[in-house]
Amino acid sequence: PACTSCRLAPPEFARAVAYAEYDAEVRGMLHLLKFNGARPVASHLLGEYLATAILKLEAQAARELVVIPVPLFAARERSRGFNQSKLLAEAALKCLRKLRCDWKLRIDTKSFARVKDTHALFTMQPHERRKSLRGAFRVTDAEAIRGREVLLIDDIKIGRASCREECRS
């Protein structure tokens, strides 16, 4: 059953899975990665968490997936020096390729772009996040993803916290 917010404004995706509870420990690891450049956090623990979460989708997912890390605004990625969602996706796929060699997972960082700089979403309420994200992304290569199943990877779940427990879409 979906929560009230998801019933009123259904999400535009088929399935979702969280790779970790966004608690103090995970928040601390993500801050180390994003703001201190501690890349081993992604390539070890968080990448393994994400791989385990992706395996939960295996029964419903296509054998061939286009994996798209949520892009950063270009200026933010230049200042940070990396996209944390891309690092997490690469680490998870490295694990998954060992576990499921028949699953074809391809990272695509060109077909989807962030065209609007948004403020830090984790500080906002759900309705503020939705408003801030309107028009923030654009498909830049529709042919590359047309007719394919896409797995979108983000570092932090930006939906409502209540949906993690209540929504099973």
Short mmCIF file of all heavy atoms in Angstrom, two decimals, residues 93-140:
data_model
loop_
_atom_site.label_atom_id
_atom_site.label_comp_id
_atom_site.label_asym_id
_atom_site.label_seq_id
_atom_site.Cartn_x
_atom_site.Cartn_y
_atom_site.Cartn_z
N LEU A 93 28.25 -1.96 -9.19
CA LEU A 93 28.33 -2.79 -10.40
C LEU A 93 29.54 -3.71 -10.37
O LEU A 93 29.48 -4.83 -10.86
CB LEU A 93 28.33 -1.93 -11.65
CG LEU A 93 26.93 -1.71 -12.24
CD1 LEU A 93 25.95 -1.13 -11.27
CD2 LEU A 93 27.01 -0.91 -13.51
N LYS A 94 30.62 -3.25 -9.79
CA LYS A 94 31.81 -4.10 -9.65
C LYS A 94 31.45 -5.34 -8.82
O LYS A 94 31.81 -6.47 -9.18
CB LYS A 94 32.94 -3.32 -9.00
CG LYS A 94 34.22 -4.08 -8.88
CD LYS A 94 35.32 -3.22 -8.28
CE LYS A 94 36.59 -4.03 -8.13
NZ LYS A 94 37.67 -3.22 -7.52
N CYS A 95 30.72 -5.14 -7.73
CA CYS A 95 30.28 -6.27 -6.89
C CYS A 95 29.31 -7.16 -7.66
O CYS A 95 29.42 -8.38 -7.64
CB CYS A 95 29.58 -5.77 -5.64
SG CYS A 95 30.63 -4.97 -4.43
N LEU A 96 28.33 -6.53 -8.32
CA LEU A 96 27.29 -7.29 -9.01
C LEU A 96 27.84 -8.11 -10.17
O LEU A 96 27.35 -9.21 -10.44
CB LEU A 96 26.20 -6.36 -9.51
CG LEU A 96 25.32 -5.76 -8.41
CD1 LEU A 96 24.46 -4.64 -8.96
CD2 LEU A 96 24.47 -6.84 -7.76
N ARG A 97 28.84 -7.61 -10.86
CA ARG A 97 29.42 -8.36 -11.98
C ARG A 97 30.07 -9.66 -11.50
O ARG A 97 30.11 -10.64 -12.23
CB ARG A 97 30.41 -7.49 -12.73
CG ARG A 97 29.70 -6.45 -13.58
CD ARG A 97 30.66 -5.63 -14.41
NE ARG A 97 29.92 -4.67 -15.21
CZ ARG A 97 30.06 -3.35 -15.13
NH1 ARG A 97 30.95 -2.83 -14.29
NH2 ARG A 97 29.32 -2.56 -15.87
N LYS A 98 30.55 -9.66 -10.27
CA LYS A 98 31.12 -10.89 -9.70
C LYS A 98 30.02 -11.86 -9.29
O LYS A 98 30.15 -13.06 -9.42
CB LYS A 98 31.99 -10.55 -8.48
CG LYS A 98 33.25 -9.81 -8.82
CD LYS A 98 34.00 -9.44 -7.56
CE LYS A 98 35.20 -8.56 -7.87
NZ LYS A 98 35.85 -8.06 -6.65
N LEU A 99 28.93 -11.31 -8.77
CA LEU A 99 27.84 -12.14 -8.26
C LEU A 99 26.88 -12.63 -9.34
O LEU A 99 26.32 -13.71 -9.24
CB LEU A 99 27.03 -11.34 -7.22
CG LEU A 99 27.77 -10.93 -5.95
CD1 LEU A 99 26.93 -9.97 -5.13
CD2 LEU A 99 28.13 -12.16 -5.13
N ARG A 100 26.67 -11.80 -10.37
CA ARG A 100 25.70 -12.12 -11.43
C ARG A 100 26.31 -11.81 -12.79
O ARG A 100 25.99 -10.80 -13.40
CB ARG A 100 24.41 -11.30 -11.26
CG ARG A 100 23.70 -11.49 -9.94
CD ARG A 100 23.10 -12.90 -9.85
NE ARG A 100 22.20 -13.03 -8.72
CZ ARG A 100 22.59 -13.37 -7.49
NH1 ARG A 100 23.86 -13.57 -7.23
NH2 ARG A 100 21.70 -13.50 -6.53
N CYS A 101 27.20 -12.69 -13.25
CA CYS A 101 27.91 -12.42 -14.51
C CYS A 101 26.97 -12.41 -15.72
O CYS A 101 27.32 -11.87 -16.77
CB CYS A 101 29.07 -13.38 -14.70
SG CYS A 101 28.60 -15.11 -14.58
N ASP A 102 25.77 -12.97 -15.60
CA ASP A 102 24.83 -12.97 -16.73
C ASP A 102 23.98 -11.69 -16.79
O ASP A 102 23.29 -11.45 -17.78
CB ASP A 102 23.89 -14.18 -16.64
CG ASP A 102 23.02 -14.16 -15.41
OD1 ASP A 102 23.51 -13.74 -14.34
OD2 ASP A 102 21.85 -14.56 -15.50
N TRP A 103 24.07 -10.87 -15.77
CA TRP A 103 23.30 -9.63 -15.72
C TRP A 103 24.11 -8.55 -16.42
O TRP A 103 25.23 -8.24 -16.01
CB TRP A 103 23.05 -9.26 -14.27
CG TRP A 103 21.78 -8.53 -14.00
CD1 TRP A 103 20.83 -8.17 -14.89
CD2 TRP A 103 21.32 -8.08 -12.73
NE1 TRP A 103 19.80 -7.52 -14.25
CE2 TRP A 103 20.08 -7.45 -12.92
CE3 TRP A 103 21.84 -8.14 -11.45
CZ2 TRP A 103 19.34 -6.88 -11.89
CZ3 TRP A 103 21.11 -7.59 -10.42
CH2 TRP A 103 19.87 -6.97 -10.63
N LYS A 104 23.57 -7.96 -17.47
CA LYS A 104 24.29 -6.94 -18.24
C LYS A 104 23.93 -5.56 -17.71
O LYS A 104 22.83 -5.06 -17.94
CB LYS A 104 23.96 -7.07 -19.72
CG LYS A 104 24.50 -8.34 -20.33
CD LYS A 104 24.18 -8.41 -21.81
CE LYS A 104 24.83 -9.58 -22.46
NZ LYS A 104 24.30 -10.85 -22.14
N LEU A 105 24.88 -4.96 -17.00
CA LEU A 105 24.68 -3.66 -16.39
C LEU A 105 25.67 -2.68 -17.01
O LEU A 105 26.87 -2.90 -16.94
CB LEU A 105 24.89 -3.75 -14.87
CG LEU A 105 24.05 -4.81 -14.16
CD1 LEU A 105 24.56 -5.03 -12.75
CD2 LEU A 105 22.59 -4.40 -14.14
N ARG A 106 25.14 -1.62 -17.60
CA ARG A 106 26.00 -0.64 -18.29
C ARG A 106 25.75 0.74 -17.71
O ARG A 106 24.62 1.22 -17.69
CB ARG A 106 25.68 -0.66 -19.78
CG ARG A 106 26.43 0.36 -20.60
CD ARG A 106 26.06 0.29 -22.07
NE ARG A 106 24.66 0.49 -22.35
CZ ARG A 106 24.08 1.68 -22.53
NH1 ARG A 106 24.79 2.77 -22.44
NH2 ARG A 106 22.79 1.76 -22.81
N ILE A 107 26.82 1.39 -17.24
CA ILE A 107 26.69 2.75 -16.71
C ILE A 107 26.63 3.73 -17.88
O ILE A 107 27.41 3.65 -18.82
CB ILE A 107 27.86 3.10 -15.77
CG1 ILE A 107 27.75 2.29 -14.49
CG2 ILE A 107 27.86 4.59 -15.45
CD1 ILE A 107 28.77 2.63 -13.43
N ASP A 108 25.68 4.65 -17.77
CA ASP A 108 25.48 5.68 -18.78
C ASP A 108 25.45 7.03 -18.07
O ASP A 108 24.55 7.30 -17.29
CB ASP A 108 24.15 5.43 -19.51
CG ASP A 108 23.83 6.48 -20.55
OD1 ASP A 108 24.43 7.57 -20.56
OD2 ASP A 108 22.92 6.22 -21.36
N THR A 109 26.45 7.86 -18.33
CA THR A 109 26.50 9.18 -17.71
C THR A 109 26.24 10.30 -18.72
O THR A 109 26.40 11.47 -18.41
CB THR A 109 27.88 9.43 -17.05
OG1 THR A 109 28.89 9.31 -18.05
CG2 THR A 109 28.13 8.43 -15.93
N LYS A 110 25.83 9.93 -19.93
CA LYS A 110 25.64 10.92 -20.99
C LYS A 110 24.17 11.18 -21.35
O LYS A 110 23.87 12.20 -21.94
CB LYS A 110 26.38 10.48 -22.27
CG LYS A 110 27.85 10.21 -22.07
CD LYS A 110 28.60 11.47 -21.78
CE LYS A 110 30.09 11.18 -21.69
NZ LYS A 110 30.81 12.18 -20.96
N SER A 111 23.28 10.28 -21.03
CA SER A 111 21.90 10.37 -21.51
C SER A 111 20.98 11.21 -20.64
O SER A 111 19.85 11.49 -21.02
CB SER A 111 21.30 8.97 -21.64
OG SER A 111 22.02 8.24 -22.58
N PHE A 112 21.45 11.60 -19.49
CA PHE A 112 20.62 12.30 -18.52
C PHE A 112 21.48 13.39 -17.90
O PHE A 112 22.61 13.14 -17.52
CB PHE A 112 20.17 11.28 -17.46
CG PHE A 112 19.06 11.71 -16.55
CD1 PHE A 112 17.85 12.16 -17.04
CD2 PHE A 112 19.21 11.62 -15.19
CE1 PHE A 112 16.82 12.52 -16.19
CE2 PHE A 112 18.19 11.96 -14.32
CZ PHE A 112 16.98 12.42 -14.83
N ALA A 113 20.97 14.62 -17.82
CA ALA A 113 21.77 15.72 -17.30
C ALA A 113 20.97 16.56 -16.32
O ALA A 113 19.75 16.68 -16.43
CB ALA A 113 22.24 16.62 -18.45
N ARG A 114 21.68 17.13 -15.36
CA ARG A 114 21.07 18.11 -14.45
C ARG A 114 21.31 19.48 -15.10
O ARG A 114 22.45 19.86 -15.31
CB ARG A 114 21.70 18.06 -13.07
CG ARG A 114 20.97 18.96 -12.07
CD ARG A 114 21.57 18.91 -10.67
NE ARG A 114 21.46 17.61 -10.07
CZ ARG A 114 20.75 17.35 -8.98
NH1 ARG A 114 20.07 18.28 -8.38
NH2 ARG A 114 20.72 16.13 -8.48
N VAL A 115 20.23 20.16 -15.39
CA VAL A 115 20.33 21.44 -16.09
C VAL A 115 20.01 22.63 -15.18
O VAL A 115 20.09 23.78 -15.62
CB VAL A 115 19.41 21.47 -17.34
CG1 VAL A 115 19.89 20.45 -18.36
CG2 VAL A 115 17.96 21.21 -16.96
N LYS A 116 19.68 22.34 -13.95
CA LYS A 116 19.35 23.39 -12.99
C LYS A 116 20.07 23.09 -11.68
O LYS A 116 20.01 21.96 -11.19
CB LYS A 116 17.83 23.40 -12.78
CG LYS A 116 17.31 24.35 -11.74
CD LYS A 116 15.78 24.24 -11.70
CE LYS A 116 15.25 24.45 -10.31
NZ LYS A 116 13.81 24.16 -10.21
N ASP A 117 20.74 24.09 -11.15
CA ASP A 117 21.41 23.92 -9.87
C ASP A 117 20.34 23.97 -8.78
O ASP A 117 19.48 24.85 -8.77
CB ASP A 117 22.43 25.04 -9.65
CG ASP A 117 23.41 24.72 -8.55
OD1 ASP A 117 23.40 23.59 -8.02
OD2 ASP A 117 24.21 25.61 -8.20
N THR A 118 20.36 23.00 -7.90
CA THR A 118 19.40 22.96 -6.80
C THR A 118 20.16 23.06 -5.49
O THR A 118 21.32 22.69 -5.40
CB THR A 118 18.60 21.64 -6.82
OG1 THR A 118 19.51 20.55 -6.79
CG2 THR A 118 17.72 21.56 -8.05
N HIS A 119 19.48 23.58 -4.49
CA HIS A 119 20.08 23.64 -3.16
C HIS A 119 20.15 22.23 -2.59
O HIS A 119 19.52 21.31 -3.10
CB HIS A 119 19.26 24.54 -2.25
CG HIS A 119 19.23 25.96 -2.72
ND1 HIS A 119 20.31 26.80 -2.63
CD2 HIS A 119 18.25 26.68 -3.31
CE1 HIS A 119 20.00 27.97 -3.14
NE2 HIS A 119 18.75 27.93 -3.57
N ALA A 120 20.88 22.06 -1.51
CA ALA A 120 21.00 20.75 -0.86
C ALA A 120 19.61 20.22 -0.50
O ALA A 120 18.91 20.81 0.33
CB ALA A 120 21.88 20.85 0.37
N LEU A 121 19.22 19.14 -1.13
CA LEU A 121 17.86 18.61 -0.96
C LEU A 121 17.62 18.00 0.41
O LEU A 121 16.49 18.01 0.90
CB LEU A 121 17.57 17.57 -2.05
CG LEU A 121 17.60 18.10 -3.48
CD1 LEU A 121 17.46 16.95 -4.45
CD2 LEU A 121 16.51 19.13 -3.69
N PHE A 122 18.67 17.48 1.05
CA PHE A 122 18.45 16.81 2.33
C PHE A 122 17.99 17.78 3.41
O PHE A 122 17.46 17.36 4.43
CB PHE A 122 19.70 16.03 2.77
CG PHE A 122 20.86 16.88 3.21
CD1 PHE A 122 21.00 17.27 4.52
CD2 PHE A 122 21.81 17.29 2.29
CE1 PHE A 122 22.06 18.06 4.92
CE2 PHE A 122 22.88 18.06 2.67
CZ PHE A 122 23.00 18.46 3.99
N THR A 123 18.15 19.09 3.19
CA THR A 123 17.72 20.08 4.18
C THR A 123 16.26 20.48 3.98
O THR A 123 15.71 21.21 4.79
CB THR A 123 18.58 21.35 4.08
OG1 THR A 123 18.36 21.96 2.80
CG2 THR A 123 20.05 21.04 4.27
N MET A 124 15.62 20.01 2.90
CA MET A 124 14.28 20.47 2.54
C MET A 124 13.20 19.48 2.94
O MET A 124 13.45 18.29 3.07
CB MET A 124 14.18 20.66 1.02
CG MET A 124 15.09 21.70 0.47
SD MET A 124 14.84 21.76 -1.33
CE MET A 124 16.11 22.92 -1.76
N GLN A 125 11.99 20.00 3.07
CA GLN A 125 10.81 19.18 3.28
C GLN A 125 10.42 18.56 1.93
O GLN A 125 10.79 19.08 0.88
CB GLN A 125 9.66 20.04 3.80
CG GLN A 125 9.91 20.60 5.19
CD GLN A 125 10.09 19.50 6.21
OE1 GLN A 125 9.32 18.54 6.26
NE2 GLN A 125 11.12 19.62 7.03
N PRO A 126 9.68 17.45 1.92
CA PRO A 126 9.33 16.77 0.67
C PRO A 126 8.71 17.68 -0.39
O PRO A 126 9.10 17.63 -1.56
CB PRO A 126 8.34 15.69 1.11
CG PRO A 126 8.76 15.38 2.51
CD PRO A 126 9.20 16.69 3.09
N HIS A 127 7.76 18.54 -0.02
CA HIS A 127 7.14 19.42 -1.02
C HIS A 127 8.15 20.43 -1.57
O HIS A 127 8.10 20.79 -2.74
CB HIS A 127 5.91 20.13 -0.44
CG HIS A 127 6.23 21.17 0.59
ND1 HIS A 127 6.53 20.86 1.89
CD2 HIS A 127 6.31 22.51 0.48
CE1 HIS A 127 6.78 21.97 2.55
NE2 HIS A 127 6.66 23.00 1.73
N GLU A 128 9.12 20.86 -0.75
CA GLU A 128 10.16 21.77 -1.22
C GLU A 128 11.10 21.06 -2.19
O GLU A 128 11.55 21.66 -3.17
CB GLU A 128 10.97 22.32 -0.04
CG GLU A 128 10.17 23.17 0.92
CD GLU A 128 10.95 23.50 2.19
OE1 GLU A 128 11.61 22.59 2.75
OE2 GLU A 128 10.88 24.66 2.62
N ARG A 129 11.40 19.79 -1.91
CA ARG A 129 12.26 19.01 -2.81
C ARG A 129 11.63 18.88 -4.18
O ARG A 129 12.28 19.09 -5.20
CB ARG A 129 12.50 17.62 -2.23
CG ARG A 129 13.35 17.60 -1.02
CD ARG A 129 13.52 16.17 -0.54
NE ARG A 129 14.12 16.19 0.78
CZ ARG A 129 13.84 15.34 1.74
NH1 ARG A 129 12.97 14.37 1.54
NH2 ARG A 129 14.43 15.43 2.90
N ARG A 130 10.35 18.50 -4.19
CA ARG A 130 9.66 18.33 -5.47
C ARG A 130 9.67 19.63 -6.26
O ARG A 130 9.94 19.64 -7.46
CB ARG A 130 8.23 17.83 -5.24
CG ARG A 130 8.17 16.36 -4.87
CD ARG A 130 6.74 15.84 -4.88
NE ARG A 130 5.88 16.48 -3.89
CZ ARG A 130 5.80 16.11 -2.62
NH1 ARG A 130 6.52 15.10 -2.18
NH2 ARG A 130 5.00 16.74 -1.79
N LYS A 131 9.40 20.73 -5.59
CA LYS A 131 9.39 22.03 -6.26
C LYS A 131 10.78 22.38 -6.79
O LYS A 131 10.94 22.82 -7.93
CB LYS A 131 8.91 23.12 -5.30
CG LYS A 131 8.77 24.48 -5.92
CD LYS A 131 8.23 25.48 -4.93
CE LYS A 131 8.16 26.87 -5.56
NZ LYS A 131 7.72 27.86 -4.60
N SER A 132 11.80 22.15 -5.99
CA SER A 132 13.18 22.46 -6.39
C SER A 132 13.63 21.61 -7.58
O SER A 132 14.38 22.07 -8.43
CB SER A 132 14.12 22.25 -5.20
OG SER A 132 15.44 22.52 -5.56
N LEU A 133 13.16 20.37 -7.64
CA LEU A 133 13.60 19.45 -8.69
C LEU A 133 12.84 19.63 -10.01
O LEU A 133 13.28 19.11 -11.04
CB LEU A 133 13.46 18.00 -8.22
CG LEU A 133 14.50 17.57 -7.20
CD1 LEU A 133 14.17 16.21 -6.64
CD2 LEU A 133 15.89 17.59 -7.79
N ARG A 134 11.73 20.36 -10.00
CA ARG A 134 11.00 20.58 -11.25
C ARG A 134 11.90 21.24 -12.28
O ARG A 134 12.48 22.29 -12.04
CB ARG A 134 9.77 21.45 -11.00
CG ARG A 134 8.57 20.63 -10.72
CD ARG A 134 7.30 21.45 -10.71
NE ARG A 134 6.47 20.89 -9.65
CZ ARG A 134 6.13 21.50 -8.53
NH1 ARG A 134 6.47 22.73 -8.33
NH2 ARG A 134 5.42 20.88 -7.63
N GLY A 135 12.05 20.60 -13.42
CA GLY A 135 12.87 21.15 -14.50
C GLY A 135 14.37 21.03 -14.27
O GLY A 135 15.15 21.61 -15.03
N ALA A 136 14.79 20.30 -13.25
CA ALA A 136 16.21 20.20 -12.93
C ALA A 136 16.96 19.21 -13.82
O ALA A 136 18.18 19.29 -13.94
CB ALA A 136 16.41 19.82 -11.46
N PHE A 137 16.24 18.28 -14.45
CA PHE A 137 16.89 17.23 -15.25
C PHE A 137 16.34 17.23 -16.67
O PHE A 137 15.21 17.64 -16.91
CB PHE A 137 16.67 15.86 -14.61
CG PHE A 137 17.26 15.74 -13.24
CD1 PHE A 137 16.47 15.91 -12.12
CD2 PHE A 137 18.61 15.47 -13.07
CE1 PHE A 137 17.00 15.82 -10.84
CE2 PHE A 137 19.15 15.37 -11.80
CZ PHE A 137 18.35 15.54 -10.69
N ARG A 138 17.16 16.70 -17.57
CA ARG A 138 16.74 16.59 -18.97
C ARG A 138 17.39 15.35 -19.57
O ARG A 138 18.55 15.03 -19.30
CB ARG A 138 17.22 17.83 -19.73
CG ARG A 138 16.92 17.82 -21.20
CD ARG A 138 17.31 19.14 -21.85
NE ARG A 138 18.60 19.61 -21.35
CZ ARG A 138 19.69 19.74 -22.10
NH1 ARG A 138 19.66 19.51 -23.37
NH2 ARG A 138 20.82 20.15 -21.58
N VAL A 139 16.62 14.65 -20.38
CA VAL A 139 17.17 13.53 -21.14
C VAL A 139 17.94 14.16 -22.30
O VAL A 139 17.40 14.95 -23.06
CB VAL A 139 16.06 12.60 -21.66
CG1 VAL A 139 16.62 11.55 -22.60
CG2 VAL A 139 15.34 11.94 -20.49
N THR A 140 19.22 13.81 -22.43
CA THR A 140 20.06 14.39 -23.47
C THR A 140 20.30 13.45 -24.64
O THR A 140 20.76 13.88 -25.69
CB THR A 140 21.42 14.81 -22.88
OG1 THR A 140 22.00 13.68 -22.22
CG2 THR A 140 21.24 15.95 -21.88
#
